[in-house]
Amino acid sequence: MALIDQIQTEMVAAMKSQDATKLETLRMIKTALQKYKVDNPGKPLDEPIEMQLLNTLIKQRKEAADMFRKGGREELAVKEEAEQKLIESYMPASATDAEIDAAIAEAI
């Protein structure tokens, strides 16, 4: 299932469960994906592009949380971090240290 379709399905579930934070975050992700499609009509929205867009959103959330903490707005920083965790849930799992060491040993 394409990421945008998965997001749409989960948006419906978030609406039904009245989870405002999750719904807001899912709408943000969907908007970023659709914006890419509109801005780049000849290019397909494939997995590497989706991951790049999600990484950008994660970076924005981290920076916003840091700025809110510096400004003394802890509640907004916590909200940004919650959004970041939800976005990260759509990223593929990263390799563990053991997997990296095994790949290096195999390459050598």
Side-chain angles (χ1 to χ4, degrees), residues 32-45 49 52-53:
L33 295 171
Q34 288 180 325
K35 182 178 182 323
Y36 177 83
K37 288 170 98 174
V38 169
D39 291 346
N40 303 291
K43 296 181 181 177
L45 183 61
I49 303 273
Q52 181 182 10
L53 291 171

Side-chain angles (χ1 to χ4, degrees), residues 3 22 39-40 44 79 92 101 104 107:
L3 180 61
K22 185 173 184 176
D39 291 346
N40 303 291
K79 179 180 178 268
D101 291 340
I104 291 171

Side-chain angles (χ1 to χ4, degrees), residues 12-101:
V12 172
M15 284 184 220
K16 288 180 181 178
S17 67
Q18 298 181 347
D19 187 348
T21 304
K22 185 173 184 176
L23 180 60
E24 181 181 324
T25 305
L26 291 171
R27 283 182 174 157
M28 175 183 42
I29 295 170
K30 184 177 177 187
T31 300
L33 295 171
Q34 288 180 325
K35 182 178 182 323
Y36 177 83
K37 288 170 98 174
V38 169
D39 291 346
N40 303 291
K43 296 181 181 177
L45 183 61
D46 54 0
E47 188 174 346
I49 303 273
E50 291 171 346
M51 294 306 112
Q52 181 182 10
L53 291 171
L54 291 178
N55 277 328
T56 301
L57 292 173
I58 290 169
K59 182 179 176 189
Q60 289 172 350
R61 303 286 81 72
K62 285 180 183 178
E63 291 173 356
D66 289 341
M67 295 303 288
F68 283 134
R69 280 214 168 77
K70 289 178 184 174
R73 301 292 307 264
E74 185 64 30
E75 70 282 356
L76 293 175
V78 169
K79 179 180 178 268
E80 292 291 330
E81 288 172 344
E83 290 177 357
Q84 175 189 338
K85 287 180 182 165
L86 182 64
I87 296 168
E88 287 173 346
S89 70
Y90 293 100
M91 298 291 288
S94 58
T96 64
D97 289 339
E99 293 171 337
I100 293 171
D101 291 340

